[in-house]
Amino acid sequence: MEAIANRLQSAPGIETFRVVAVNPGIDDTTVDTVAITNGGTREVPLLLVLDDEGKLLAWKWVGTMRPIEQTALNFVKDLDASRWVAARYYLDLDFQKEISPADLQRKWTKLEGLLGGVKRIKSALVASQGGDQQLVLVTIEFGKITDNLFVIFNRQGRIINVDFSADLV
């Protein structure tokens, strides 16, 4: 929460906003908004992710990209393209020992099947950064639902875990 508060304080002053789309997921909700800043003269796309209780998990100005966000996007794009070995490249060596390319294929294929296949990989946003673990949420529009894949990084920017939703896969 402190990281979110610090980022909000350094952001341009939001005078008002409008909600463009609300996409409920399995255990979170992605909200596309447009923030009005600079005395009402500028509209800036803003993405919010809320937990199942409506609390803010993460947010970002659309069009900005941090290195771990790009890595998370590249990882998911490789999964979506069935490039299992390439996707595994982003994993920390210890995590690579735990999950084989076949495991990635099985988990991703089951997730896609349950959620209706990938229509579009929308964005990635940092939910927490700077500690031993960093969390990036990758927003994916599936055929049945828009949901966020939780990708956890270590300090070195390598993926140490992916939450494929144990309930689903």
Side-chain angles (χ1 to χ4, degrees), residues 27-29 49-57:
D27 52 9
D28 57 38
T29 299
V49 177
L50 309 175
D51 68 12
D52 57 359
E53 296 175 1
K55 294 179 185 170
L56 185 64
L57 281 175

Coordinates of all heavy atoms in Angstrom, one line a residue, residues 27-29 49-57:
D27 N -10.9 -13.4 -9.5 CA -10.7 -12.9 -8.1 C -10.2 -11.5 -8.1 O -9.7 -11.0 -7.1 CB -9.7 -13.8 -7.3 CG -8.4 -14.0 -8.0 OD1 -8.2 -13.4 -9.1 OD2 -7.6 -14.9 -7.6
D28 N -10.4 -10.8 -9.2 CA -10.0 -9.3 -9.2 C -10.8 -8.7 -10.4 O -11.5 -9.4 -11.1 CB -8.5 -9.1 -9.4 CG -7.9 -9.7 -10.6 OD1 -8.6 -9.8 -11.7 OD2 -6.8 -10.2 -10.5
T29 N -10.8 -7.4 -10.4 CA -11.5 -6.6 -11.4 C -10.6 -5.6 -12.0 O -9.9 -4.9 -11.3 CB -12.8 -5.9 -10.8 OG1 -13.6 -6.9 -10.3 CG2 -13.5 -5.1 -11.9
V49 N -6.6 -2.1 -11.0 CA -7.0 -3.5 -10.7 C -7.4 -3.5 -9.2 O -6.6 -3.0 -8.4 CB -5.8 -4.4 -11.0 CG1 -6.2 -5.8 -10.5 CG2 -5.4 -4.4 -12.4
L50 N -8.6 -4.0 -9.0 CA -9.2 -4.0 -7.7 C -9.3 -5.5 -7.3 O -9.5 -6.4 -8.1 CB -10.6 -3.4 -7.7 CG -10.7 -2.0 -8.3 CD1 -12.2 -1.6 -8.3 CD2 -9.9 -1.0 -7.5
D51 N -9.1 -5.8 -6.0 CA -9.2 -7.1 -5.5 C -10.7 -7.5 -5.4 O -11.6 -6.6 -5.6 CB -8.4 -7.4 -4.2 CG -9.0 -6.7 -3.0 OD1 -10.1 -6.1 -3.0 OD2 -8.3 -6.6 -1.9
D52 N -11.0 -8.7 -4.9 CA -12.4 -9.1 -4.8 C -13.2 -8.3 -3.8 O -14.5 -8.4 -3.7 CB -12.6 -10.6 -4.7 CG -11.9 -11.1 -3.5 OD1 -11.2 -10.3 -2.7 OD2 -11.9 -12.4 -3.2
E53 N -12.5 -7.5 -2.9 CA -13.2 -6.7 -1.9 C -13.3 -5.3 -2.4 O -13.8 -4.4 -1.6 CB -12.5 -6.8 -0.6 CG -12.6 -8.2 0.0 CD -11.7 -8.3 1.3 OE1 -11.2 -7.3 1.7 OE2 -11.7 -9.4 1.8
G54 N -12.8 -5.0 -3.6 CA -12.9 -3.6 -4.1 C -11.7 -2.7 -3.7 O -11.7 -1.5 -4.0
K55 N -10.7 -3.3 -3.1 CA -9.5 -2.5 -2.7 C -8.5 -2.5 -3.9 O -8.4 -3.4 -4.7 CB -8.8 -3.2 -1.5 CG -9.6 -3.1 -0.3 CD -8.9 -3.8 0.9 CE -9.7 -3.9 2.1 NZ -9.2 -4.7 3.2
L56 N -7.8 -1.3 -4.0 CA -6.9 -1.1 -5.1 C -5.7 -2.0 -5.0 O -4.9 -2.0 -4.0 CB -6.4 0.3 -5.1 CG -5.5 0.8 -6.3 CD1 -6.3 0.6 -7.6 CD2 -5.1 2.2 -6.1
L57 N -5.4 -2.9 -6.0 CA -4.2 -3.8 -6.0 C -3.1 -3.1 -6.7 O -1.9 -3.2 -6.3 CB -4.5 -5.1 -6.7 CG -5.3 -6.2 -6.0 CD1 -5.6 -7.3 -6.9 CD2 -4.5 -6.6 -4.7

